[in-house]
Amino acid sequence: MKKILNVTINGTPYEIAIKPKTTLVEVLRNELNLTGTKRSCNAGGCSSCSVLVDGKVVNSCSVLALQVDGKEVTTIEGIADGAKLHPLQQAFLEHGAYQCGYCTPGMIIAGKALLDENPNPTKQEVKEAIAGNLCRCTGYVRIVDAILATAKKLQEEAK
Amino acid sequence: MSNYSVIGKPIQRIDGYEKVTGAAKFTTDIRLSGMLWGKMLRSPHPHAKILNIDTSKAKKLPGVKAVITSADTLHIKYSNWRRYPHLMDETPLAEDKVRYIGEPVAAVAAIDEDIAEEALGLIEVDYEVLPAVFDPLEAIKDGAPQIHEGPTVKNNISEARHFEFGDVDEAFKKCDRVREDTFYLHPVSHAFLEPTNSVASWDLNGRLTIWTSTQTPYFIQTLLAMVLGIKEGNIRVIKPHVGGGFGGKMELFSDQYCAARLSMLTGKPVKIELDREEVFIATRRRHPMYYTLKTGYMKDGTLVAKEAKVYTDGGAYNAMGPTSLYLSGFFQIFPYTIPNYRYDGFHIYTNKNPSSAMRGFGGPQAEFTCDSQIDMIADDLGMDPAEIRLKNGMKPGHVIPGLAKVGSCGFEECVKKAMESTKWKEKKGKLPMGRGIGMGCYGFMSGGVFNWIDSPYAYSAAYIRMNVDCTVDVYIGSAEIGQGSDTVAAQIAAEVLGVPMEDVKVIRGDTDSCPPDLGAWGSRQTLMTGNAVKMAAEEIKKQLIEVTASLMVPNVVYDFDIKDGRVFIKDRPERGIELAEVVKTAVRAREGQALFGRGIYTPHGKGMVSPAYSFGAQVAEVEVDLETGKVNMIQVTTAHDCGQVINKLGVEGQLEGAFVMGQGYALSENLITDEGKVLNPSLIDYKLMRAPDIPDNFTSLMVETHEPEGPFGAKEAGEGLTNPNAGCIANTIFDAVGVRIKDMPITPEKILKALDEKKKKEGK
Ligand code: FES
Ligand code: FES
């Protein structure tokens, strides 16, 4: 039997009928065609599928969609402000913090969650914040740099 | 220095916006209307005869649209080895026997994923389990189970590689000292983040379209044509963005075939996506190798003779193994000059998933053993290991008899730069117990000259169209898989035609519109595709200059050039015409035909391996925790000679990524099997490096040389960098705690055990 899920995704409310065992990543990718959220292991091991649920990072392969009923979900498609990139996205571009790009959505989501909570992180804190996010291409160096540079930029702008 | 407009600059990649916004489409993101889901049934046994397959129950399950076994195939053996048919040993689905756990036996297409999965459980396969063999040293013994039949395979050895030059035996006799060491290199997985997956769609005109995550669209096109029995021209391979490959996506795989065949049978699009466990157990891995290395040298550190013997665990099929084996022997003599060398390598079948190409292509194994031993030799002689490297390092123009001629070579400068930047002299051997510094070096091919697939086309090709608004469309068949090669192609076209980067569009990844190219492997694309793009752009440039000359009618014929949107006389740059004017005139002059350029590159007379070679040196500093054996990376510096840098941002990113991949190879990754069964097939249990593990500081130093064979003098910068890491780390650990680990990976347990033994030996 299908159940009704009510959820706000990237600011838009949705009402969707789904099988109860459907995971959040399946709803995003298969039902809503929000394919920016990636799936690499489907088992909580890589965080390619990270999204924000009420501002907290979640592996969307590891939660049932019904668990986010009534909540706000932000995916990579909801990070930019219309056509204007989020500063983290801009920094990823400038630092060359991606290669194949498969981990990139998850990395940007993890970076955003970190900076929202801790606007002035140390290098070590950045590394810890993305410790669950695997990247096979970049060696993480530029990803860490991009997140740190964004923090600095946002701090300066706030002054 | 050069005055290029875009070459050598830290240019932002052309695929950036789509990747940071989530808009980039990968094969995993493709869904077509009416699409069916395919699943593969895999062997649970490492070695068994297939007595019977009964698919009737599965076919009756509501929602199942087709089930296939080898009976539904043309029984054609295939692989990339079309030029050497005796090496083609795979079939799309197991014929009468399975040879590893995970080998595809049947496939199903159904209206949803769960039904497809359920149907797999309804397929009944009768097996007769056969004795299996897992270790290459066991597999070569008389009486071992024979994995493949046939006249070319004896004792499970599918291929032997031998090369030799100089007078090895005599040279050994003249050496002051000779040492022999044995090493073991373990299996690791490519662990690309985008799983192997495809969507195939057969249309009623008899044409097949397949979207697939591959490094080699042309190989897929040509091999699918062969195994499906249809024309190459009726197959369209589309390569969307690819989430990493590293050598693990450069062959035709069973799941690609099955998606295509199931689509042909059902008339519907079919998607097959491997789950992570399948990726670990049933795709490729890097070759495990038993390596014996004997080296003779003089008291002053001159290397005189070397003999290498390698037994490689090929797994159940050849895959790209014969080349990995060949190249491991070849890169064993890089980047140090060895006048007398003998190599014997054996590719041995075992009942495990096939080993194949993986970033470095035999090089990481070679360089780990070579560089570990160089340090042991330095230790024997009481020499600085950097000095011994400089003493024996390759120089420009070096010739390896019968195999290769090195063109540009910045090896010496790489070593010196890395030493200087890390204060090597002040630190080497002088750091406190637990802390160490060490070096690893490499040389690598810049474009493999191998045409296993037997393509009659050029190795790389490009078409370029220049439009009247001065925008440029570059059509290439090479494969961007994350390394940045599309951006490099755009830069080259922009530089030649004097237009800004944003006016260049790269059309790629579609065999219907792009010229054939051998794809992304062997560090080919900068040099080979780059040369093809340059040639195509220059053809257009020539047309433009002809038109300019006729418009300006200079008294004397001057040289013209194009830069920043103007065509001008080189010696009198103030005299010129707007590029847009020239383009329009050129098009009009040709009765409206668009400006078009074609370029190709095929190496001729460039030796057995590559037209050019990259070089580099790496220095690392570590701290080893004496209680736990854990290795902390503090600092890594790599100096890399990739000829003329095309994109600095790209090269640095490659250096960092390659190091961290090599760090995982050295310290933690291991595809562990027991009786042929992979014990850690998940991203949690297979230990990849994570952000907290990486070095605190990473320095990339560029050593620019000019490579006459490369476009603008450029060479590779993607793969060679993977080779020095493990040896460098092993040497660094030795410097830190005085133990030498020759059995990879270098885990904390092994370090502690060796420390224990060392203490006992020293009688403490
Ligand atoms: S796909 Fe969700 S954690 Fe890997
Ligand atoms: S950029 Fe490829 S996995 Fe991170």
Side-chain angles (χ1 to χ4, degrees):
Chain A
M1 269 318 289
K2 288 197 171 175
K3 288 238 157 76
I4 298 295
L5 166 71
N6 279 293
V7 60
T8 303
I9 298 172
N10 302 331
T12 308
Y14 289 91
E15 183 179 23
I16 317 163
I18 54 166
K19 289 188 205 161
K21 61 163 212 170
T22 312
T23 57
L24 178 54
V25 71
E26 287 166 343
V27 168
L28 294 172
R29 291 176 53 83
N30 302 349
E31 309 285 328
L32 303 176
N33 205 23
L34 290 170
T35 54
T37 301
K38 296 295 177 236
R39 194 167 77 163
S40 180
C41 72
N42 211 26
C46 70
S47 295
S48 308
C49 63
S50 288
V51 298
L52 300 177
V53 176
D54 288 347
K56 294 259 174 294
V57 198
V58 162
N59 286 334
S60 63
C61 71
S62 305
V63 291
L64 294 177
L66 289 173
Q67 286 175 281
V68 302
D69 193 61
K71 300 193 191 234
E72 295 226 6
V73 175
T74 308
T75 70
I76 185 69
E77 289 91 347
I79 295 288
D81 178 8
K84 191 169 170 280
L85 293 182
H86 184 278
L88 262 173
Q89 293 172 310
Q90 192 59 43
F92 268 61
L93 287 182
E94 283 161 14
H95 287 258
Y98 61 91
Q99 288 177 23
C100 80
Y102 206 78
C103 70
T104 313
M107 288 289 183
I108 289 175
I109 291 283
K112 178 165 180 352
L114 170 71
L115 297 186
D116 287 348
E117 205 179 289
N118 176 3
N120 196 10
T122 62
K123 198 173 189 181
Q124 196 53 35
E125 285 168 338
V126 173
K127 288 184 183 176
E128 294 298 337
I130 58 166
N133 294 69
L134 283 177
C135 175
R136 188 53 153 167
C137 303
T138 65
Y140 306 100
V141 180
R142 263 141 227 281
I143 296 173
V144 174
D145 288 351
I147 297 174
L148 281 172
T150 309
K152 207 167 151 216
K153 197 168 158 214
L154 291 176
Q155 292 270 304
E156 270 160 21
E157 278 172 18
K159 268 181 205 160
Chain B
M1 272 317 293
S2 61
N3 63 340
Y4 295 130
S5 304
V6 287
I7 298 289
K9 301 284 178 315
I11 298 275
Q12 254 179 47
R13 294 169 57 134
I14 58 175
D15 53 4
Y17 285 95
E18 50 208 292
K19 284 185 176 171
V20 300
T21 55
K25 289 282 179 218
F26 294 75
T27 305
T28 47
D29 302 329
I30 288 164
R31 274 165 192 64
L32 303 178
S33 70
M35 190 178 85
L36 304 174
W37 294 83
K39 291 264 177 212
M40 314 288 296
L41 181 72
R42 299 181 180 279
S43 165
H45 304 294
H47 199 190
K49 253 192 206 145
I50 298 174
L51 302 177
N52 185 43
I53 307 180
D54 182 352
T55 58
S56 56
K57 281 189 197 138
K59 280 181 174 153
K60 277 188 212 129
L61 185 71
V64 170
K65 297 295 173 194
V67 183
I68 54 171
T69 66
S70 75
D72 302 284
T73 71
L74 296 176
H75 309 286
I76 292 173
K77 282 195 176 175
Y78 74 97
S79 76
N80 284 352
W81 294 98
R82 279 206 315 186
R83 200 183 180 96
Y84 307 93
H86 71 283
L87 293 174
M88 294 203 290
D89 55 4
E90 273 179 279
T91 51
L93 289 163
E95 294 275 317
D96 40 8
K97 187 157 129 153
V98 286
R99 298 180 173 87
Y100 67 94
I101 294 174
E103 179 161 0
V105 174
V108 171
I111 56 170
D112 89 12
E113 241 183 315
D114 294 344
I115 296 174
E117 188 73 50
E118 194 184 334
L120 292 184
L122 297 175
I123 300 173
E124 289 165 5
V125 187
D126 294 335
Y127 290 106
E128 179 192 322
V129 176
L130 299 169
V133 62
F134 306 106
D135 188 287
L137 302 183
E138 292 299 318
I140 50 171
K141 287 186 182 155
D142 285 335
Q146 289 303 292
I147 298 170
H148 287 265
E149 297 70 36
T152 57
V153 183
K154 202 173 165 284
N155 291 58
N156 291 311
I157 297 173
S158 73
E159 185 75 347
R161 299 289 201 178
H162 171 84
F163 38 84
E164 182 164 354
F165 53 79
D167 189 340
V168 181
D169 297 318
E170 272 308 304
F172 270 120
K173 284 185 204 151
K174 289 188 194 128
C175 290
D176 290 337
R177 296 188 194 178
V178 175
R179 71 168 295 144
E180 186 173 311
D181 296 284
T182 58
F183 301 88
Y184 173 70
L185 290 306
H186 61 306
V188 293
S189 177
H190 301 81
F192 34 72
L193 283 201
E194 184 195 14
T196 312
N197 76 113
S198 312
V199 179
S201 179
W202 173 254
D203 69 31
L204 298 176
N205 295 317
R207 297 220 170 88
L208 179 80
T209 303
I210 181 166
W211 290 258
T212 188
S213 186
T214 184
Q215 305 175 221
T216 49
Y218 179 66
F219 289 6
I220 303 304
Q221 184 187 27
T222 189
L223 292 176
L224 262 185
M226 177 174 137
V227 286
L228 290 169
I230 53 183
K231 279 189 180 165
E232 226 168 86
N234 287 337
I235 298 178
R236 178 181 185 190
V237 179
I238 300 179
K239 177 209 68 71
H241 286 292
V242 174
F246 313 111
K249 294 176 180 168
M250 60 172 286
E251 298 161 74
L252 175 69
F253 297 117
S254 175
D255 42 281
Q256 290 164 322
Y257 168 86
C258 288
R261 188 79 187 102
L262 287 166
S263 179
M264 288 166 79
L265 288 171
T266 58
K268 303 245 187 227
V270 175
K271 179 180 184 91
I272 298 185
E273 181 171 328
L274 269 54
D275 67 25
R276 187 48 63 175
E277 181 174 344
E278 289 179 289
V279 172
F280 273 115
I281 71 165
T283 66
R284 309 308 204 200
R285 54 184 185 141
R286 180 180 281 155
H287 286 88
M289 291 184 182
Y290 289 96
Y291 231 111
T292 306
L293 216 55
K294 183 172 147 189
T295 301
Y297 48 101
M298 306 310 284
K299 278 194 194 118
D300 68 353
T302 307
L303 303 176
V304 178
K306 191 182 236 188
E307 188 174 41
K309 206 165 199 179
V310 173
Y311 294 91
T312 184
D313 176 353
Y317 294 96
N318 277 322
M320 295 319 304
T323 302
S324 300
L325 184 73
Y326 180 79
L327 290 176
S328 202
F330 180 73
F331 290 120
Q332 183 58 247
I333 41 176
F334 273 74
Y336 314 114
T337 304
I338 301 281
N340 304 282
Y341 179 58
R342 180 187 297 135
Y343 175 70
D344 280 291
F346 302 93
H347 187 266
I348 301 154
Y349 288 131
T350 61
N351 291 114
K352 292 192 279 196
N353 64 317
S355 311
S356 194
M358 180 171 165
R359 200 175 190 178
F361 223 157
Q365 295 97 322
E367 226 55 274
F368 170 73
T369 58
C370 171
D371 256 338
S372 294
Q373 200 185 49
I374 289 280
D375 262 43
M376 292 187 257
I377 291 170
D379 199 45
D380 284 349
L381 295 172
M383 272 180 86
D384 177 345
E387 291 304 329
I388 206 169
R389 285 178 167 83
L390 284 171
K391 188 174 186 77
N392 294 284
M394 278 183 185
K395 305 242 175 346
H398 179 72
V399 175
I400 302 176
L403 292 170
K405 183 170 186 303
V406 171
S408 62
C409 170
F411 177 67
E412 192 176 317
E413 207 188 329
C414 287
V415 175
K416 287 184 174 158
K417 262 197 161 172
M419 287 172 77
E420 199 183 291
S421 151
T422 54
K423 302 203 168 58
W424 171 271
K425 287 270 178 207
E426 289 160 43
K427 289 181 179 168
K428 175 66 195 161
K430 300 184 185 113
L431 296 171
M433 177 67 176
R435 193 146 175 159
I437 188 168
M439 184 179 278
C441 300
Y442 59 100
F444 198 67
M445 60 183 162
S446 192
V449 301
F450 314 116
N451 186 13
W452 322 283
I453 201 81
D454 204 18
S455 169
Y457 294 114
Y459 280 38
S460 284
Y463 312 145
I464 299 185
R465 183 176 64 199
M466 191 161 193
N467 306 303
V468 287
D469 58 357
C470 294
T471 57
V472 171
D473 301 334
V474 178
Y475 294 77
I476 45 174
S478 62
E480 168 70 75
I481 55 169
Q483 77 283 52
S485 56
D486 284 350
T487 305
V488 164
Q491 282 182 269
I492 289 173
E495 188 68 52
V496 175
L497 294 170
V499 298
M501 277 295 280
E502 55 272 21
D503 286 350
V504 182
K505 185 162 70 205
V506 177
I507 296 105
R508 82 288 189 264
D510 184 343
T511 57
D512 261 11
S513 50
C514 304
D517 183 293
L518 296 187
W521 53 264
S523 280
R524 311 174 47 254
Q525 299 196 153
T526 296
L527 189 141
M528 295 196 186
T529 311
N531 271 325
V533 170
K534 188 159 178 273
M535 179 176 164
E538 277 166 353
E539 192 179 312
I540 294 180
K541 183 172 176 176
K542 185 163 170 276
Q543 297 169 37
L544 294 172
I545 285 176
E546 280 166 10
V547 170
T548 313
S550 67
L551 288 174
M552 291 181 61
V553 217
N555 251 352
V556 191
V557 178
Y558 293 97
D559 278 342
F560 288 89
D561 202 357
I562 310 179
K563 229 176 196 359
D564 305 328
R566 268 181 91 245
V567 192
F568 56 88
I569 298 170
K570 264 188 195 164
D571 293 334
R572 301 181 56 187
E574 71 287 355
R575 291 197 57 201
I577 310 181
E578 290 304 303
L579 179 60
E581 265 329 291
V582 181
V583 173
K584 266 184 221 146
T585 311
V587 170
R588 282 202 183 100
R590 270 149 229 270
E591 294 184 53
Q593 280 204 64
L595 281 176
F596 204 77
R598 296 188 304 175
I600 52 164
Y601 182 83
T602 293
H604 293 295
K606 296 292 178 275
M608 301 298 287
V609 177
S610 177
Y613 297 88
S614 66
F615 291 89
Q618 182 171 77
V619 174
E621 255 186 274
V622 299
E623 203 160 48
V624 180
D625 185 322
L626 296 169
E627 301 285 302
T628 62
K630 192 172 178 308
V631 177
N632 290 323
M633 301 299 311
I634 298 167
Q635 154 81 34
V636 173
T637 300
T638 304
H640 180 65
D641 157 26
C642 58
Q644 162 70 47
V645 173
I646 303 272
N647 189 331
K648 189 154 178 286
L649 216 53
V651 176
E652 289 172 354
Q654 290 297 315
L655 281 167
E656 293 153 4
F659 177 79
V660 174
M661 188 180 269
Q663 187 188 345
Y665 181 48
L667 298 176
S668 68
E669 290 179 39
N670 194 0
L671 195 67
I672 305 165
T673 52
D674 181 33
E675 304 275 290
K677 187 173 166 51
V678 176
L679 300 182
N680 54 344
S682 80
L683 289 178
I684 292 173
D685 297 322
Y686 181 85
K687 298 291 181 198
L688 293 163
M689 288 289 123
R690 290 177 179 270
D693 302 319
I694 67 167
D696 296 334
N697 288 300
F698 200 102
T699 310
S700 302
L701 306 168
M702 305 289 143
V703 171
E704 285 190 290
T705 55
H706 183 90
E707 172 53 51
E709 269 301 308
F712 296 100
K715 300 189 278 190
E716 77 97 29
E719 212 181 341
L721 334 165
T722 323
N723 298 349
N725 312 312
C728 175
I729 291 172
N731 292 340
T732 308
I733 292 170
F734 182 80
D735 190 58
V737 294
V739 300
R740 170 66 57 188
I741 312 290
K742 301 181 195 170
D743 167 25
M744 291 258 281
I746 310 174
T747 58
E749 301 77 53
K750 285 184 198 165
I751 294 176
L752 288 181
K753 193 165 160 250
L755 277 171
D756 225 42
E757 278 161 14
K758 186 173 160 241
K759 257 191 221 151
K760 276 187 201 137
K761 239 204 212 140
E762 289 166 357
K764 283 184 202 155

